[in-house]
Amino acid sequence: MAPRKIIIDTDPGQDDAVAILLALASPEEIDVLGITAVAGNVPLELTAKNARIVCELAGHTHVPVYAGCDRPLNRPLVTAEHVHGKTGLDGPVLPDPEMPLADGHAVDFIIDTLRAHEPGTVTLCPLGPLTNIASAFQKAPDIVDRVQEIVLMGGAYFEVGNITPAAEFNIYVDPVAADIVFKSGIHVVVIPLDVTHDALVTKHRNDAFRALDSKVGHAVAEMTDFFERFDIEKYGSEGAPLHDPCVTAYLIRPELFSGRHINVQIETQSELTMGMTVADWWRVTDHPPNAMFIGEIDADGFFALLTERLARL
Ligand code: BDR
Ligand code: CA
């Protein structure tokens, strides 16, 4: 089967970085048409820089990286340096990128790419706030029908929230954008905190990255070493949750995941529960399903896949 064409929309972030590395290490399954940076974990200038640092770490400098929206549609930007550090990629010492940003705006790249390919052949993979994606849909509504699928990391049901008691970070930062995406009619695969909080980098799993004894293996181990301090303190968990790589793993090995086809709506009005993903997990309404909401991951299978693929870089 031909590799699946994707655009990675991202706010790196250590876990975004690992998601990008996994995609670039898997050319048989995934063809990365481009990477679009958005403001999220850190401001846009840093996410656009970090995306290029990661491409260079992988030795894939041919992948175009575009800078996109520097703030949410109608709210001030909220960032997460308390999790990811000042640079967003704290942990390893990596050189500043030499590859330039691609010319043009990320939103236009998303629009042009969807128009240039056969309808139903390009998948969008958002790993951060949904500002770039929603902006593209607002600017060029004709592209909505051309999207094959959206596979995103965001939201929560059983785990509820990580940035507020009610909301997950990516959805909370730009709830209006998320609302546009979930109402778009496009099939959305949602990988929520319920799943990513099971994808924990335990010591044993991190040792396996380090044991690759490559530039990439050491960088990933150092990223998760940094990232885990926050989660161990907050949740008492065994290590850092690798949220965003679950998206790329889903594209490669969907059988590692299972979920329910349900209705998901986004809270955009209440300040108390802003950005909550109201997921009808128990199917208590007759609202039509608009999303495959993932509930379980085979974590051992996921880490085996990740380690095997990172070894290729
Ligand atoms: C999400 O928020 C970010 O901090 C991570 O990169 C991930 O995309 C988890 O809530
Ligand atoms: Ca992210």
Side-chain angles (χ1 to χ4, degrees):
M1 219 166 59
R4 190 160 170 178
K5 295 187 177 90
I6 71 166
I7 296 173
I8 300 178
D9 187 67
T10 177
D11 62 337
Q14 293 89 346
D15 61 319
D16 302 72
V18 180
I20 294 168
L21 293 170
L22 177 58
L24 295 177
S26 306
E28 286 104 356
E29 294 94 352
I30 299 177
D31 177 5
V32 183
L33 300 176
I35 296 176
T36 51
V38 69
N41 285 323
V42 285
L44 179 68
E45 205 185 317
L46 287 171
T47 61
K49 175 179 170 189
N50 292 345
R52 287 175 290 146
I53 290 177
V54 176
C55 288
E56 290 191 0
L57 174 65
H60 284 246
T61 49
H62 58 279
V63 178
V65 175
Y66 294 84
C69 300
D70 65 358
R71 74 193 69 161
L73 295 184
N74 70 346
R75 284 164 68 80
L77 177 65
V78 173
T79 52
E81 285 88 355
H82 60 295
V83 183
H84 301 274
K86 225 168 135 204
T87 66
L89 267 193
D90 277 21
V93 179
L94 295 167
D96 278 354
E98 282 176 18
M99 65 186 273
L101 275 173
D103 286 338
H105 195 283
V107 167
D108 294 318
F109 171 73
I110 293 169
I111 294 169
D112 295 344
T113 305
L114 283 161
R115 284 180 178 159
H117 288 80
E118 285 293 306
T121 62
V122 175
T123 294
L124 302 178
C125 299
L127 311 177
L130 290 154
T131 322
N132 284 344
I133 308 292
S135 301
F137 293 172
Q138 282 182 324
K139 189 169 176 186
D142 60 288
I143 63 169
V144 172
D145 285 346
R146 306 181 75 89
V147 177
Q148 179 177 16
E149 192 170 48
I150 294 177
V151 183
L152 65 84
M153 190 281 137
Y157 181 68
F158 294 99
E159 293 283 308
V160 198
N162 61 354
I163 185 75
T164 73
E168 181 279 329
F169 179 79
N170 289 343
I171 306 294
Y172 176 77
V173 172
D174 200 339
V176 169
D179 187 48
I180 290 170
V181 167
F182 278 83
K183 286 185 177 150
S184 67
I186 299 168
H187 187 255
V188 183
V189 177
V190 182
I191 304 196
L193 294 180
D194 309 334
V195 169
T196 65
H197 281 176
D198 281 338
L200 296 178
V201 190
T202 57
K203 176 166 183 327
H204 170 72
R205 290 167 176 164
N206 213 22
D207 286 347
F209 297 145
R210 219 180 295 272
L212 295 175
D213 205 16
S214 62
K215 216 161 69 172
V216 168
H218 284 292
V220 169
E222 284 162 24
M223 281 183 212
T224 53
D225 275 346
F226 178 86
F227 191 41
E228 76 176 9
R229 289 183 302 187
F230 173 79
D231 289 90
I232 290 177
E233 219 173 276
K234 181 171 172 193
Y235 296 106
S237 55
E238 280 184 273
L242 276 187
H243 306 283
D244 296 337
C246 292
V247 168
T248 29
Y250 177 87
L251 298 175
I252 301 166
R253 298 268 311 275
E255 66 279 7
L256 293 173
F257 300 84
S258 61
R260 294 187 184 185
H261 198 220
I262 57 168
N263 182 268
V264 179
Q265 296 185 33
I266 309 298
E267 175 60 60
T268 60
Q269 301 299 318
S270 151
E271 212 33 68
L272 182 65
T273 54
M274 184 65 74
M276 187 171 193
T277 40
V278 182
D280 190 5
W281 182 258
W282 299 111
R283 299 193 176 107
V284 293
T285 72
D286 52 12
H287 297 147
N290 58 347
M292 170 56 83
F293 202 84
I294 302 297
E296 278 183 40
I297 178 173
D298 168 355
D300 286 331
F302 166 71
F303 279 98
L305 171 72
L306 185 55
T307 311
E308 180 239 312
R309 295 301 165 101
L310 293 179
R312 299 181 181 183
L313 292 173

mmCIF file of all heavy atoms in Angstrom, residues 216-246:
data_model
loop_
_atom_site.group_PDB
_atom_site.id
_atom_site.type_symbol
_atom_site.label_atom_id
_atom_site.label_comp_id
_atom_site.label_asym_id
_atom_site.label_seq_id
_atom_site.Cartn_x
_atom_site.Cartn_y
_atom_site.Cartn_z
ATOM 1 N N VAL A 216 19.771 10.284 17.905
ATOM 2 C CA VAL A 216 18.319 10.366 18.131
ATOM 3 C C VAL A 216 17.944 9.678 19.450
ATOM 4 O O VAL A 216 17.165 10.215 20.252
ATOM 5 C CB VAL A 216 17.562 9.728 16.939
ATOM 6 C CG1 VAL A 216 16.093 9.524 17.265
ATOM 7 C CG2 VAL A 216 17.708 10.607 15.704
ATOM 8 N N GLY A 217 18.501 8.493 19.690
ATOM 9 C CA GLY A 217 18.186 7.746 20.918
ATOM 10 C C GLY A 217 18.527 8.552 22.159
ATOM 11 O O GLY A 217 17.720 8.653 23.099
ATOM 12 N N HIS A 218 19.708 9.157 22.164
ATOM 13 C CA HIS A 218 20.114 9.956 23.334
ATOM 14 C C HIS A 218 19.233 11.193 23.469
ATOM 15 O O HIS A 218 18.814 11.544 24.576
ATOM 16 C CB HIS A 218 21.586 10.364 23.216
ATOM 17 C CG HIS A 218 22.518 9.237 23.519
ATOM 18 N ND1 HIS A 218 22.642 8.697 24.772
ATOM 19 C CD2 HIS A 218 23.347 8.514 22.720
ATOM 20 C CE1 HIS A 218 23.507 7.700 24.758
ATOM 21 N NE2 HIS A 218 23.955 7.558 23.513
ATOM 22 N N ALA A 219 18.934 11.861 22.347
ATOM 23 C CA ALA A 219 18.114 13.085 22.407
ATOM 24 C C ALA A 219 16.721 12.763 22.955
ATOM 25 O O ALA A 219 16.203 13.490 23.822
ATOM 26 C CB ALA A 219 18.011 13.723 21.024
ATOM 27 N N VAL A 220 16.132 11.669 22.495
ATOM 28 C CA VAL A 220 14.779 11.313 22.962
ATOM 29 C C VAL A 220 14.824 10.967 24.454
ATOM 30 O O VAL A 220 13.957 11.397 25.228
ATOM 31 C CB VAL A 220 14.194 10.151 22.124
ATOM 32 C CG1 VAL A 220 12.927 9.595 22.770
ATOM 33 C CG2 VAL A 220 13.905 10.633 20.701
ATOM 34 N N ALA A 221 15.831 10.221 24.862
ATOM 35 C CA ALA A 221 15.943 9.870 26.285
ATOM 36 C C ALA A 221 16.092 11.136 27.128
ATOM 37 O O ALA A 221 15.468 11.271 28.186
ATOM 38 C CB ALA A 221 17.129 8.932 26.497
ATOM 39 N N GLU A 222 16.865 12.097 26.648
ATOM 40 C CA GLU A 222 17.064 13.327 27.422
ATOM 41 C C GLU A 222 15.804 14.203 27.418
ATOM 42 O O GLU A 222 15.492 14.875 28.396
ATOM 43 C CB GLU A 222 18.274 14.102 26.874
ATOM 44 C CG GLU A 222 19.574 13.451 27.324
ATOM 45 C CD GLU A 222 20.790 13.883 26.493
ATOM 46 O OE1 GLU A 222 20.756 14.972 25.902
ATOM 47 O OE2 GLU A 222 21.763 13.099 26.442
ATOM 48 N N MET A 223 15.085 14.185 26.307
ATOM 49 C CA MET A 223 13.821 14.940 26.277
ATOM 50 C C MET A 223 12.855 14.375 27.307
ATOM 51 O O MET A 223 12.228 15.110 28.065
ATOM 52 C CB MET A 223 13.162 14.827 24.896
ATOM 53 C CG MET A 223 13.761 15.718 23.842
ATOM 54 S SD MET A 223 12.806 15.528 22.322
ATOM 55 C CE MET A 223 14.082 15.794 21.112
ATOM 56 N N THR A 224 12.717 13.047 27.334
ATOM 57 C CA THR A 224 11.733 12.472 28.256
ATOM 58 C C THR A 224 12.228 12.581 29.701
ATOM 59 O O THR A 224 11.425 12.757 30.608
ATOM 60 C CB THR A 224 11.374 11.027 27.877
ATOM 61 O OG1 THR A 224 12.562 10.282 27.754
ATOM 62 C CG2 THR A 224 10.612 10.963 26.594
ATOM 63 N N ASP A 225 13.543 12.541 29.904
ATOM 64 C CA ASP A 225 14.073 12.780 31.260
ATOM 65 C C ASP A 225 13.595 14.139 31.762
ATOM 66 O O ASP A 225 13.178 14.290 32.903
ATOM 67 C CB ASP A 225 15.612 12.823 31.254
ATOM 68 C CG ASP A 225 16.216 11.437 31.356
ATOM 69 O OD1 ASP A 225 15.479 10.489 31.701
ATOM 70 O OD2 ASP A 225 17.418 11.297 31.072
ATOM 71 N N PHE A 226 13.657 15.145 30.904
ATOM 72 C CA PHE A 226 13.252 16.488 31.315
ATOM 73 C C PHE A 226 11.745 16.553 31.553
ATOM 74 O O PHE A 226 11.266 17.010 32.590
ATOM 75 C CB PHE A 226 13.639 17.530 30.259
ATOM 76 C CG PHE A 226 13.185 18.906 30.658
ATOM 77 C CD1 PHE A 226 13.980 19.703 31.464
ATOM 78 C CD2 PHE A 226 11.937 19.381 30.290
ATOM 79 C CE1 PHE A 226 13.546 20.946 31.898
ATOM 80 C CE2 PHE A 226 11.488 20.623 30.710
ATOM 81 C CZ PHE A 226 12.298 21.413 31.511
ATOM 82 N N PHE A 227 11.023 16.060 30.595
ATOM 83 C CA PHE A 227 9.569 16.160 30.513
ATOM 84 C C PHE A 227 8.907 15.421 31.694
ATOM 85 O O PHE A 227 7.886 15.827 32.211
ATOM 86 C CB PHE A 227 9.226 15.505 29.174
ATOM 87 C CG PHE A 227 7.838 15.657 28.659
ATOM 88 C CD1 PHE A 227 7.155 16.837 28.758
ATOM 89 C CD2 PHE A 227 7.223 14.586 28.008
ATOM 90 C CE1 PHE A 227 5.886 16.960 28.222
ATOM 91 C CE2 PHE A 227 5.969 14.700 27.472
ATOM 92 C CZ PHE A 227 5.291 15.889 27.585
ATOM 93 N N GLU A 228 9.554 14.315 32.143
ATOM 94 C CA GLU A 228 8.898 13.457 33.131
ATOM 95 C C GLU A 228 8.839 14.096 34.518
ATOM 96 O O GLU A 228 7.961 13.764 35.294
ATOM 97 C CB GLU A 228 9.585 12.099 33.206
ATOM 98 C CG GLU A 228 10.899 12.121 33.944
ATOM 99 C CD GLU A 228 11.502 10.726 34.093
ATOM 100 O OE1 GLU A 228 10.985 9.780 33.487
ATOM 101 O OE2 GLU A 228 12.485 10.614 34.830
ATOM 102 N N ARG A 229 9.751 15.053 34.789
ATOM 103 C CA ARG A 229 9.769 15.594 36.150
ATOM 104 C C ARG A 229 8.418 16.181 36.511
ATOM 105 O O ARG A 229 7.919 16.008 37.611
ATOM 106 C CB ARG A 229 10.843 16.678 36.255
ATOM 107 C CG ARG A 229 12.239 16.085 36.196
ATOM 108 C CD ARG A 229 13.265 17.140 36.370
ATOM 109 N NE ARG A 229 13.119 18.167 35.345
ATOM 110 C CZ ARG A 229 13.959 19.147 35.159
ATOM 111 N NH1 ARG A 229 14.988 19.281 35.949
ATOM 112 N NH2 ARG A 229 13.780 20.029 34.198
ATOM 113 N N PHE A 230 7.825 16.855 35.534
ATOM 114 C CA PHE A 230 6.543 17.504 35.774
ATOM 115 C C PHE A 230 5.445 16.481 36.091
ATOM 116 O O PHE A 230 4.697 16.620 37.052
ATOM 117 C CB PHE A 230 6.162 18.328 34.531
ATOM 118 C CG PHE A 230 4.793 18.900 34.611
ATOM 119 C CD1 PHE A 230 4.552 20.037 35.355
ATOM 120 C CD2 PHE A 230 3.735 18.291 33.942
ATOM 121 C CE1 PHE A 230 3.272 20.558 35.438
ATOM 122 C CE2 PHE A 230 2.463 18.807 34.022
ATOM 123 C CZ PHE A 230 2.230 19.947 34.772
ATOM 124 N N ASP A 231 5.369 15.440 35.288
ATOM 125 C CA ASP A 231 4.283 14.475 35.446
ATOM 126 C C ASP A 231 4.438 13.592 36.674
ATOM 127 O O ASP A 231 3.459 13.229 37.327
ATOM 128 C CB ASP A 231 4.136 13.619 34.183
ATOM 129 C CG ASP A 231 3.562 14.450 33.067
ATOM 130 O OD1 ASP A 231 4.345 15.062 32.325
ATOM 131 O OD2 ASP A 231 2.327 14.539 32.982
ATOM 132 N N ILE A 232 5.687 13.258 36.992
ATOM 133 C CA ILE A 232 5.906 12.432 38.186
ATOM 134 C C ILE A 232 5.443 13.211 39.414
ATOM 135 O O ILE A 232 4.747 12.692 40.281
ATOM 136 C CB ILE A 232 7.384 12.011 38.288
ATOM 137 C CG1 ILE A 232 7.707 10.998 37.177
ATOM 138 C CG2 ILE A 232 7.696 11.425 39.663
ATOM 139 C CD1 ILE A 232 9.152 10.564 37.118
ATOM 140 N N GLU A 233 5.794 14.500 39.430
ATOM 141 C CA GLU A 233 5.401 15.331 40.554
ATOM 142 C C GLU A 233 3.886 15.518 40.619
ATOM 143 O O GLU A 233 3.274 15.418 41.664
ATOM 144 C CB GLU A 233 6.053 16.699 40.372
ATOM 145 C CG GLU A 233 6.552 17.309 41.665
ATOM 146 C CD GLU A 233 7.316 18.567 41.332
ATOM 147 O OE1 GLU A 233 8.525 18.470 41.016
ATOM 148 O OE2 GLU A 233 6.677 19.633 41.334
ATOM 149 N N LYS A 234 3.283 15.738 39.432
ATOM 150 C CA LYS A 234 1.858 16.073 39.418
ATOM 151 C C LYS A 234 0.986 14.844 39.637
ATOM 152 O O LYS A 234 0.033 14.887 40.410
ATOM 153 C CB LYS A 234 1.523 16.717 38.066
ATOM 154 C CG LYS A 234 0.072 17.138 37.933
ATOM 155 C CD LYS A 234 -0.129 17.962 36.679
ATOM 156 C CE LYS A 234 -1.588 18.220 36.417
ATOM 157 N NZ LYS A 234 -1.812 18.749 35.080
ATOM 158 N N TYR A 235 1.280 13.772 38.907
ATOM 159 C CA TYR A 235 0.385 12.613 38.932
ATOM 160 C C TYR A 235 0.935 11.449 39.756
ATOM 161 O O TYR A 235 0.248 10.455 39.935
ATOM 162 C CB TYR A 235 0.163 12.088 37.510
ATOM 163 C CG TYR A 235 -0.533 13.056 36.577
ATOM 164 C CD1 TYR A 235 0.172 13.721 35.589
ATOM 165 C CD2 TYR A 235 -1.907 13.284 36.700
ATOM 166 C CE1 TYR A 235 -0.462 14.604 34.726
ATOM 167 C CE2 TYR A 235 -2.549 14.162 35.840
ATOM 168 C CZ TYR A 235 -1.814 14.822 34.855
ATOM 169 O OH TYR A 235 -2.452 15.679 34.020
ATOM 170 N N GLY A 236 2.206 11.559 40.167
ATOM 171 C CA GLY A 236 2.815 10.409 40.837
ATOM 172 C C GLY A 236 2.974 9.249 39.872
ATOM 173 O O GLY A 236 3.053 8.086 40.275
ATOM 174 N N SER A 237 3.037 9.563 38.565
ATOM 175 C CA SER A 237 3.129 8.489 37.571
ATOM 176 C C SER A 237 4.581 8.026 37.436
ATOM 177 O O SER A 237 5.497 8.651 37.954
ATOM 178 C CB SER A 237 2.593 8.968 36.220
ATOM 179 O OG SER A 237 3.261 10.140 35.826
ATOM 180 N N GLU A 238 4.745 6.954 36.695
ATOM 181 C CA GLU A 238 6.072 6.335 36.578
ATOM 182 C C GLU A 238 6.997 7.065 35.614
ATOM 183 O O GLU A 238 8.178 6.775 35.539
ATOM 184 C CB GLU A 238 5.894 4.921 36.032
ATOM 185 C CG GLU A 238 5.483 3.898 37.038
ATOM 186 C CD GLU A 238 5.444 2.554 36.358
ATOM 187 O OE1 GLU A 238 4.384 2.229 35.779
ATOM 188 O OE2 GLU A 238 6.465 1.853 36.353
ATOM 189 N N GLY A 239 6.455 7.943 34.802
ATOM 190 C CA GLY A 239 7.283 8.645 33.820
ATOM 191 C C GLY A 239 6.413 9.580 32.994
ATOM 192 O O GLY A 239 5.229 9.773 33.273
ATOM 193 N N ALA A 240 7.019 10.148 31.955
ATOM 194 C CA ALA A 240 6.315 11.128 31.131
ATOM 195 C C ALA A 240 5.343 10.451 30.173
ATOM 196 O O ALA A 240 5.691 9.446 29.553
ATOM 197 C CB ALA A 240 7.334 11.918 30.324
ATOM 198 N N PRO A 241 4.149 10.999 30.014
ATOM 199 C CA PRO A 241 3.263 10.468 28.981
ATOM 200 C C PRO A 241 3.692 10.976 27.612
ATOM 201 O O PRO A 241 3.886 12.176 27.434
ATOM 202 C CB PRO A 241 1.885 11.023 29.356
ATOM 203 C CG PRO A 241 2.133 12.174 30.255
ATOM 204 C CD PRO A 241 3.543 12.116 30.755
ATOM 205 N N LEU A 242 3.852 10.063 26.684
ATOM 206 C CA LEU A 242 4.215 10.488 25.318
ATOM 207 C C LEU A 242 2.922 10.711 24.539
ATOM 208 O O LEU A 242 2.490 9.858 23.766
ATOM 209 C CB LEU A 242 5.102 9.437 24.652
ATOM 210 C CG LEU A 242 6.586 9.543 24.982
ATOM 211 C CD1 LEU A 242 7.395 8.573 24.158
ATOM 212 C CD2 LEU A 242 7.101 10.970 24.720
ATOM 213 N N HIS A 243 2.336 11.892 24.744
ATOM 214 C CA HIS A 243 1.024 12.178 24.153
ATOM 215 C C HIS A 243 1.049 12.074 22.622
ATOM 216 O O HIS A 243 0.360 11.253 22.016
ATOM 217 C CB HIS A 243 0.576 13.602 24.502
ATOM 218 C CG HIS A 243 0.566 13.936 25.955
ATOM 219 N ND1 HIS A 243 -0.418 13.505 26.809
ATOM 220 C CD2 HIS A 243 1.411 14.689 26.708
ATOM 221 C CE1 HIS A 243 -0.187 13.980 28.026
ATOM 222 N NE2 HIS A 243 0.915 14.698 27.991
ATOM 223 N N ASP A 244 1.806 12.984 21.998
ATOM 224 C CA ASP A 244 1.663 13.179 20.551
ATOM 225 C C ASP A 244 2.149 12.006 19.686
ATOM 226 O O ASP A 244 1.576 11.769 18.610
ATOM 227 C CB ASP A 244 2.368 14.481 20.134
ATOM 228 C CG ASP A 244 1.709 15.707 20.760
ATOM 229 O OD1 ASP A 244 0.518 15.616 21.118
ATOM 230 O OD2 ASP A 244 2.378 16.740 20.892
ATOM 231 N N PRO A 245 3.174 11.246 20.109
ATOM 232 C CA PRO A 245 3.578 10.110 19.267
ATOM 233 C C PRO A 245 2.473 9.070 19.103
ATOM 234 O O PRO A 245 2.528 8.255 18.176
ATOM 235 C CB PRO A 245 4.772 9.513 20.027
ATOM 236 C CG PRO A 245 5.281 10.625 20.860
ATOM 237 C CD PRO A 245 4.091 11.447 21.235
ATOM 238 N N CYS A 246 1.459 9.118 19.974
ATOM 239 C CA CYS A 246 0.338 8.183 19.795
ATOM 240 C C CYS A 246 -0.355 8.442 18.450
ATOM 241 O O CYS A 246 -0.898 7.517 17.838
ATOM 242 C CB CYS A 246 -0.669 8.326 20.932
ATOM 243 S SG CYS A 246 -0.011 7.780 22.520
#
